């Protein structure tokens, strides 16, 4: 304590805002969007309906949902000039770096969406981004595969269109397996919002200066990229494959994760708020079994993940610290089964989190939150006079 300022690095004990969007109970491992439990939404809802729920606060009637989807579909294309920016990237560029750049660049092509303040203008900026984001996200996969970009098909649902944007080969039709679409839809629901996590707090902080929606979301994508946050789903697969290549020796990697001299952490484990099972991880683990079985895939990586989870849950170090699998632990196994490249996993997380980021940004603006500007504890040099270079 220094009188006026309470230090709280990482904001572990700081409430930054009031919000009506998402509630999570870290002790009990519970999560709900606008009061609806994630288990029911994952089972019964759809990603576009959850988008509406997060942004509008209520489940839509069929008429309201149809209008919302039509509003988004109206914007499911982007300016051809943006392809020049995409072409400038090397195919080795990480998709998250490409996506954060293209999202910020949208401001230049949609000036009416930048300086918005009325509810109507913020809604238009929101559906504009919801329509264009899957196009840009799909471009990042086409880039790393050296394939030409695809264009939206208005006859398809939001997730079906996203899937064909990602995978349709030039000049060919793509038969769309409902098992795959259902798996992606469920994963996107489970990633849609998570109260004041690192990337959402970043979106709110950038937006608190009244920077536009696209610039604020671009900041959130950058924060999500980090391996301690959304980048963990890519790091989990890389870790599981390393264990598999190392003879499946999970105990060896558990020991590395506990060794304070070793920077290695068990990726996909632990959480700032959940000190119990992450409810999303429970649902995704079951979904992973179902999807692989329906697609007739027997992936040894899934067995290694289960072995690693079991060993960690029985280990004193992890139990003492309430470390459980989080949302990123099993999601990559499903993405891999759907032939999504590992470096695209965090882009998939961003596509899911987009409606949550947008809803939080709108709430921050609608409630006139002040510009975010924390203080600090200065521990640098005391006052001193300038010394000319010849005297140094
Ligand atoms: C997401 O916030 C959100 O809601 C995020 C998210 C969302 O939906 O937006 O849920 C998505 O980002 C999930 C988290 C994905 N990240 C990972 O899986 C990376 C591995 N996890 C850790 O880096 C860590 O658990 C964090 C970053 C998730 C949480 O870090 P904290 O809350 O700052 O906890 P900490 O680093 O202070 O750890 C507490 C103790 C430490 O040991 P001690 O110093 O007490 O001896 O637990 C240890 C840590 O060393 N620890 C781990 C560990 N996680 C914590 N040790 C080994 N492996 C781990 N994974």
């Amino acid at each position: 304590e220094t009188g006026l300022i309470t230090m709280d690095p990482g904001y572990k004990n700081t409430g930054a805002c009031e919000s009506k969007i998402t509630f999570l109970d870290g002790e009990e491992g519970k999560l709900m969007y606008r009061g609806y439990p994630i288990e029911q939404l994952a089972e019964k809802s759809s990603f576009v309906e959850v988008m509406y729920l997060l942004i509008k606060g209520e489940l839509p009637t069929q008429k309201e949902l149809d209008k919302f989807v039509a509003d988004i579909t109206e914007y499911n294309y982007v300016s051809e000039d943006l392809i020049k920016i995409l072409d400038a990237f090397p195919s080795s560029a990480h998709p998250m770096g490409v996506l954060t750049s293209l999202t910020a660049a949208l401001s230049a092509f949609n000036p009416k969406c930048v300086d918005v303040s009325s509810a109507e203008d913020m809604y238009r900026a929101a559906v504009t981004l919801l329509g264009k984001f899957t196009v840009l996200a799909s471009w990042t996969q086409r880039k790393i595969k050296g394939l030409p970009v695809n264009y939206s098909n208005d006859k398809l649902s939001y997730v079906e269109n996203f899937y064909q944007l990602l995978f349709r080969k030039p000049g060919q039709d793509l038969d769309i397996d409902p098992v795959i679409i259902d798996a992606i839809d469920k994963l996107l629901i489970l990633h849609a919002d998570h109260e004041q996590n690192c990337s959402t707090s970043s979106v709110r902080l950038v937006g608190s200066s009244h920077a536009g929606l696209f610039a604020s979301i671009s900041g959130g994508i950058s924060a999500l990229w980090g391996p301690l946050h959304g980048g963990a789903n890519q790091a989990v697969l890389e870790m599981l494959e390393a264990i598999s290549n190392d003879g499946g020796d999970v105990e060896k990697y558990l020991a590395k994760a506990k060794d304070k001299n070793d920077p290695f952490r068990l990726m996909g484990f632990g959480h700032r708020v959940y000190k119990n099972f992450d409810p999303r991880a429970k649902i995704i683990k079951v979904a992973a079994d179902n999807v692989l079985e329906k697609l007739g895939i027997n992936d040894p990586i899934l067995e290694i993940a289960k072995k690693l989870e079991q060993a960690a849950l029985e280990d004193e170090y992890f139990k003492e610290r309430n470390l459980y699998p989080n949302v990123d632990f099993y999601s990559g196994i499903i993405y891999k089964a759907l032939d999504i490249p590992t470096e695209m996993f965090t882009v998939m997380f961003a596509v899911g989190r987009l409606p949550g980021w947008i809803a939080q940004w709108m709430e921050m603006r609608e409630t006139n939150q002040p510009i975010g500007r924390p203080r600090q504890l200065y521990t640098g040099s005391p006052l001193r006079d300038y010394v000319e270079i010849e005297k140094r």
Side-chain angles (χ1 to χ4, degrees):
E1 289 271 336
T2 59
L4 279 175
I5 299 165
T6 306
M7 295 299 291
D8 183 19
Y11 308 121
K12 295 192 174 187
N13 302 294
T14 293
C17 63
E18 290 183 14
S19 177
K20 299 181 178 354
I21 300 170
T22 292
F23 174 74
L24 54 104
D25 178 328
E27 295 308 316
E28 297 299 314
K30 297 210 178 313
L31 169 61
M32 58 190 195
Y33 299 157
R34 299 286 189 180
Y36 296 98
I38 193 69
E39 292 78 7
Q40 293 181 26
L41 293 170
E43 188 58 40
K44 300 176 181 168
S45 187
S46 65
F47 183 49
V48 286
E49 183 175 79
V50 164
M51 283 180 187
Y52 185 99
L53 173 65
L54 288 169
I55 290 169
K56 293 279 192 176
E58 297 297 331
L59 287 172
T61 61
Q62 188 61 56
K63 193 163 170 290
E64 288 165 334
L65 184 59
D66 294 347
K67 166 84 172 60
F68 180 63
V69 170
D71 288 347
I72 293 170
T73 305
E74 192 186 330
Y75 295 103
N76 64 7
Y77 64 91
V78 295
S79 163
E80 287 290 306
D81 287 342
L82 271 161
I83 295 184
K84 294 181 189 125
I85 302 176
L86 179 73
D87 289 345
F89 282 98
S91 55
S92 59
H94 193 288
M96 286 295 276
V98 178
L99 184 59
T100 198
S101 309
L102 293 176
T103 302
L106 276 180
S107 310
F109 295 88
N110 300 274
K112 289 209 297 276
C113 292
V114 177
D115 188 12
V116 294
S117 49
S118 72
E120 185 194 345
D121 290 349
M122 286 199 268
Y123 175 78
R124 193 185 61 245
V127 291
T128 300
L129 187 54
L130 287 167
K132 296 176 185 290
F133 199 71
T134 44
V135 177
L136 298 180
S138 72
W139 284 10
T140 66
Q141 176 159 306
R142 307 298 283 185
K143 178 84 207 180
I144 52 179
K145 294 193 159 202
L147 290 170
V149 298
N150 279 321
Y151 292 84
S152 286
N153 175 345
D154 291 3
K155 297 185 190 59
L156 298 176
S157 74
Y158 188 85
V159 176
E160 287 170 341
N161 181 48
F162 179 38
Y163 185 73
Q164 71 87 16
L165 285 165
L166 286 168
F167 288 105
R168 194 165 51 77
K169 292 233 177 359
Q172 293 179 22
D173 283 338
L174 178 71
D175 72 315
I176 296 179
D177 182 341
V179 169
I180 293 176
I181 298 305
D182 183 55
I184 295 175
D185 196 271
K186 189 188 287 271
L187 281 167
L188 295 176
I189 290 173
L190 292 167
H191 285 82
D193 193 52
H194 213 240
E195 59 126 285
Q196 302 311 314
N197 59 85
C198 178
S199 55
T200 300
S201 304
S202 304
V203 168
R204 278 182 170 254
L205 192 59
V206 173
S208 70
S209 73
H210 289 195
L213 177 61
F214 304 161
S216 306
I217 299 296
S218 176
I221 298 167
S222 297
L224 189 72
W225 189 358
L228 294 186
H229 189 15
N233 59 13
Q234 173 178 344
V236 168
L237 237 293
E238 289 161 352
M239 172 186 72
L240 293 173
E241 278 164 356
I243 295 174
S244 173
N245 297 335
D246 203 349
D249 183 357
V250 297
E251 291 303 335
K252 174 178 168 188
Y253 283 78
L254 222 48
K256 272 171 67 68
K258 298 189 305 190
D259 177 356
K260 291 299 173 198
N261 300 319
D262 188 333
F264 173 77
R265 284 195 158 189
L266 211 54
M267 301 315 275
F269 256 78
H271 198 277
R272 173 61 60 75
V273 180
Y274 288 126
K275 300 308 170 195
N276 199 324
F277 266 92
D278 180 332
R280 301 166 297 178
K282 279 187 191 171
I283 300 170
I284 295 174
K285 179 178 179 180
V286 171
D289 271 327
N290 294 343
V291 169
L292 268 64
E293 191 198 337
K294 283 180 186 167
L295 295 177
I297 295 170
N298 175 23
D299 186 350
I301 292 288
L302 179 57
E303 296 323 309
I304 289 184
K306 289 179 179 174
K307 227 173 102 183
L308 181 61
E309 176 190 6
Q310 197 50 43
L313 292 178
E314 289 162 5
D315 182 282
E316 277 318 306
Y317 174 99
F318 282 80
K319 281 200 285 195
E320 268 162 33
R321 292 166 179 78
N322 298 310
L323 301 178
Y324 291 88
N326 58 48
V327 67
D328 294 311
F329 190 66
Y330 284 104
S331 56
I333 289 164
I334 299 179
Y335 292 140
K336 178 171 176 260
L338 306 183
D339 281 335
I340 290 169
T342 312
E343 57 272 43
M344 281 293 294
F345 289 3
T346 313
V347 169
M348 296 302 289
F349 193 142
V351 172
R353 185 53 51 89
L354 181 65
W357 283 333
I358 291 173
Q360 298 268 355
W361 180 88
M362 292 169 95
E363 183 179 70
M364 175 273 302
R365 287 296 303 273
E366 282 154 7
T367 54
N368 297 310
Q369 290 298 300
I371 186 168
R373 201 265 184 237
R375 298 303 309 276
Q376 62 168 25
L377 188 58
Y378 178 67
T379 56
S381 167
L383 187 65
R384 53 184 169 168
D385 292 327
Y386 182 82
V387 177
E388 282 67 27
I389 194 161
E390 51 279 1
K391 295 180 185 151
R392 288 175 212 158

